[in-house]
Amino acid sequence: MDPHRVSSLELPPKPLASVLFVDPAVALHEQIGAMLQGLFEVRYAVSAAEALAALERRAPDLLVLEVDLPDADGLQLCEQLRANPATRGLPILILTARGSIQEKVAGFQAGADDYLVKPPNQRFFSSRLRLLLRIKNLQKKSYSGSEGPIMPPVPPPPDPENSGRH
């Protein structure tokens, strides 16, 4: 055996991707932590203020956001993060009890990349997070130093309830 060759057993483990989970329901923190254990490093915040402070300390790879926060509207926080160049590319998944089509569309219009209704199925939830991480990594590789998306943004579909028909 070649003494200079490093065995795969000697390689340090890959660091886990990090998720910032923002939800005022502390009991849900434990449930989400158990769901994602060994898949992601999970940090927690219970308010928009805590989330912003956590983002300043160390940016996560993904953000999971509840819409109903005690100190702010989660959709407004999402818009704020999209407007900030430092967090513009952060994948955001909204996880909330609000499940109507109008609420989901509002989440996507605010800048969310994905939207799931509570309670999440463990396999589906972790699969969606891995997908968002894969998309983020592909986008990083595709941006050859340029800013902005690869394709122009697609405008939202017209809202049939506000189409001007009376």
Side-chain angles (χ1 to χ4, degrees):
M1 182 171 172
D2 181 358
H4 300 290
R5 186 167 183 232
V6 176
S7 127
S8 61
L9 297 175
E10 296 173 16
L11 295 176
K14 281 186 174 180
L16 298 176
S18 62
V19 174
L20 177 58
F21 182 71
V22 184
D23 195 301
V26 177
L28 189 58
H29 293 195
E30 293 175 19
Q31 181 184 5
I32 294 299
M35 279 185 180
L36 301 179
Q37 185 175 2
L39 302 172
F40 295 93
E41 172 203 336
V42 185
R43 295 184 295 144
Y44 305 92
V46 296
S47 66
E50 276 189 25
L52 290 170
L55 287 165
E56 275 190 31
R57 281 191 304 276
R58 183 170 57 106
D61 296 304
L62 305 161
L63 178 71
V64 177
L65 179 62
E66 166 59 70
V67 173
D68 297 311
L69 299 174
D71 60 343
D73 179 308
L75 297 180
Q76 289 175 344
L77 176 59
C78 190
E79 290 173 346
Q80 180 182 348
L81 295 173
R82 288 295 179 239
N84 181 342
T87 55
R88 183 174 293 142
L90 177 65
I92 300 173
L93 181 145
I94 290 179
L95 179 63
T96 185
R98 296 182 181 196
S100 75
I101 294 297
Q102 293 83 359
E103 290 162 329
K104 290 176 183 179
V105 169
F108 289 120
Q109 289 176 337
D113 297 293
D114 207 346
Y115 193 110
L116 297 179
V117 177
K118 292 177 183 174
N121 170 279
Q122 179 178 1
R123 289 181 60 205
F124 188 72
F125 182 51
S126 64
S127 294
R128 298 306 299 177
L129 291 177
R130 284 193 305 271
L131 174 65
L132 289 174
L133 190 59
R134 187 169 70 226
I135 291 169
K136 177 183 176 180
N137 290 334
L138 287 171
Q139 287 177 335
K140 263 192 218 180
K141 290 177 184 177
S142 296
Y143 293 151
S144 55
S146 65
E147 290 230 2
I150 297 166
M151 298 176 60
V154 178
D159 183 355
E161 293 178 11
N162 295 325
S163 63
R165 289 188 229 155
H166 296 282

PDB file of all heavy atoms in Angstrom, residues 158-166:
ATOM      1  N   PRO A 158     -51.848  36.409 -13.928  1.00  0.00           N
ATOM      2  CA  PRO A 158     -52.876  37.365 -13.495  1.00  0.00           C
ATOM      3  C   PRO A 158     -53.759  36.746 -12.432  1.00  0.00           C
ATOM      4  O   PRO A 158     -54.004  35.540 -12.424  1.00  0.00           O
ATOM      5  CB  PRO A 158     -53.670  37.647 -14.779  1.00  0.00           C
ATOM      6  CG  PRO A 158     -53.329  36.543 -15.721  1.00  0.00           C
ATOM      7  CD  PRO A 158     -51.997  35.999 -15.307  1.00  0.00           C
ATOM      8  N   ASP A 159     -54.223  37.583 -11.519  1.00  0.00           N
ATOM      9  CA  ASP A 159     -55.106  37.131 -10.451  1.00  0.00           C
ATOM     10  C   ASP A 159     -56.537  37.244 -10.969  1.00  0.00           C
ATOM     11  O   ASP A 159     -57.037  38.342 -11.181  1.00  0.00           O
ATOM     12  CB  ASP A 159     -54.908  38.010  -9.217  1.00  0.00           C
ATOM     13  CG  ASP A 159     -55.749  37.561  -8.028  1.00  0.00           C
ATOM     14  OD1 ASP A 159     -56.566  36.626  -8.189  1.00  0.00           O
ATOM     15  OD2 ASP A 159     -55.577  38.142  -6.957  1.00  0.00           O
ATOM     16  N   PRO A 160     -57.225  36.100 -11.191  1.00  0.00           N
ATOM     17  CA  PRO A 160     -58.570  36.166 -11.753  1.00  0.00           C
ATOM     18  C   PRO A 160     -59.561  36.880 -10.855  1.00  0.00           C
ATOM     19  O   PRO A 160     -60.548  37.410 -11.333  1.00  0.00           O
ATOM     20  CB  PRO A 160     -58.957  34.694 -11.948  1.00  0.00           C
ATOM     21  CG  PRO A 160     -58.039  33.909 -11.087  1.00  0.00           C
ATOM     22  CD  PRO A 160     -56.800  34.738 -10.920  1.00  0.00           C
ATOM     23  N   GLU A 161     -59.274  36.928  -9.548  1.00  0.00           N
ATOM     24  CA  GLU A 161     -60.194  37.606  -8.634  1.00  0.00           C
ATOM     25  C   GLU A 161     -60.093  39.121  -8.760  1.00  0.00           C
ATOM     26  O   GLU A 161     -61.000  39.839  -8.396  1.00  0.00           O
ATOM     27  CB  GLU A 161     -59.909  37.184  -7.195  1.00  0.00           C
ATOM     28  CG  GLU A 161     -60.231  35.727  -6.951  1.00  0.00           C
ATOM     29  CD  GLU A 161     -59.919  35.297  -5.555  1.00  0.00           C
ATOM     30  OE1 GLU A 161     -59.648  36.150  -4.685  1.00  0.00           O
ATOM     31  OE2 GLU A 161     -59.920  34.076  -5.303  1.00  0.00           O
ATOM     32  N   ASN A 162     -58.965  39.613  -9.262  1.00  0.00           N
ATOM     33  CA  ASN A 162     -58.777  41.067  -9.403  1.00  0.00           C
ATOM     34  C   ASN A 162     -58.544  41.436 -10.856  1.00  0.00           C
ATOM     35  O   ASN A 162     -57.776  42.328 -11.169  1.00  0.00           O
ATOM     36  CB  ASN A 162     -57.579  41.524  -8.563  1.00  0.00           C
ATOM     37  CG  ASN A 162     -57.833  41.337  -7.090  1.00  0.00           C
ATOM     38  OD1 ASN A 162     -58.960  41.497  -6.635  1.00  0.00           O
ATOM     39  ND2 ASN A 162     -56.795  40.980  -6.357  1.00  0.00           N
ATOM     40  N   SER A 163     -59.207  40.758 -11.782  1.00  0.00           N
ATOM     41  CA  SER A 163     -58.952  40.997 -13.205  1.00  0.00           C
ATOM     42  C   SER A 163     -59.740  42.168 -13.760  1.00  0.00           C
ATOM     43  O   SER A 163     -59.651  42.485 -14.919  1.00  0.00           O
ATOM     44  CB  SER A 163     -59.287  39.732 -14.012  1.00  0.00           C
ATOM     45  OG  SER A 163     -60.666  39.443 -13.887  1.00  0.00           O
ATOM     46  N   GLY A 164     -60.523  42.809 -12.929  1.00  0.00           N
ATOM     47  CA  GLY A 164     -61.267  43.973 -13.387  1.00  0.00           C
ATOM     48  C   GLY A 164     -62.672  43.626 -13.846  1.00  0.00           C
ATOM     49  O   GLY A 164     -63.431  44.497 -14.244  1.00  0.00           O
ATOM     50  N   ARG A 165     -63.035  42.370 -13.842  1.00  0.00           N
ATOM     51  CA  ARG A 165     -64.380  41.974 -14.226  1.00  0.00           C
ATOM     52  C   ARG A 165     -65.343  42.224 -13.051  1.00  0.00           C
ATOM     53  O   ARG A 165     -65.017  41.893 -11.929  1.00  0.00           O
ATOM     54  CB  ARG A 165     -64.439  40.494 -14.587  1.00  0.00           C
ATOM     55  CG  ARG A 165     -63.752  40.200 -15.876  1.00  0.00           C
ATOM     56  CD  ARG A 165     -64.028  38.785 -16.264  1.00  0.00           C
ATOM     57  NE  ARG A 165     -62.730  38.201 -16.607  1.00  0.00           N
ATOM     58  CZ  ARG A 165     -62.446  36.938 -16.553  1.00  0.00           C
ATOM     59  NH1 ARG A 165     -63.353  36.074 -16.155  1.00  0.00           N
ATOM     60  NH2 ARG A 165     -61.278  36.485 -16.896  1.00  0.00           N
ATOM     61  N   HIS A 166     -66.479  42.767 -13.331  1.00  0.00           N
ATOM     62  CA  HIS A 166     -67.471  43.019 -12.265  1.00  0.00           C
ATOM     63  C   HIS A 166     -68.782  42.408 -12.602  1.00  0.00           C
ATOM     64  O   HIS A 166     -69.298  42.355 -13.587  1.00  0.00           O
ATOM     65  CB  HIS A 166     -67.659  44.518 -12.022  1.00  0.00           C
ATOM     66  CG  HIS A 166     -66.400  45.153 -11.522  1.00  0.00           C
ATOM     67  ND1 HIS A 166     -65.979  45.046 -10.219  1.00  0.00           N
ATOM     68  CD2 HIS A 166     -65.441  45.867 -12.142  1.00  0.00           C
ATOM     69  CE1 HIS A 166     -64.842  45.701 -10.063  1.00  0.00           C
ATOM     70  NE2 HIS A 166     -64.503  46.200 -11.238  1.00  0.00           N
TER      71      HIS A 166
END
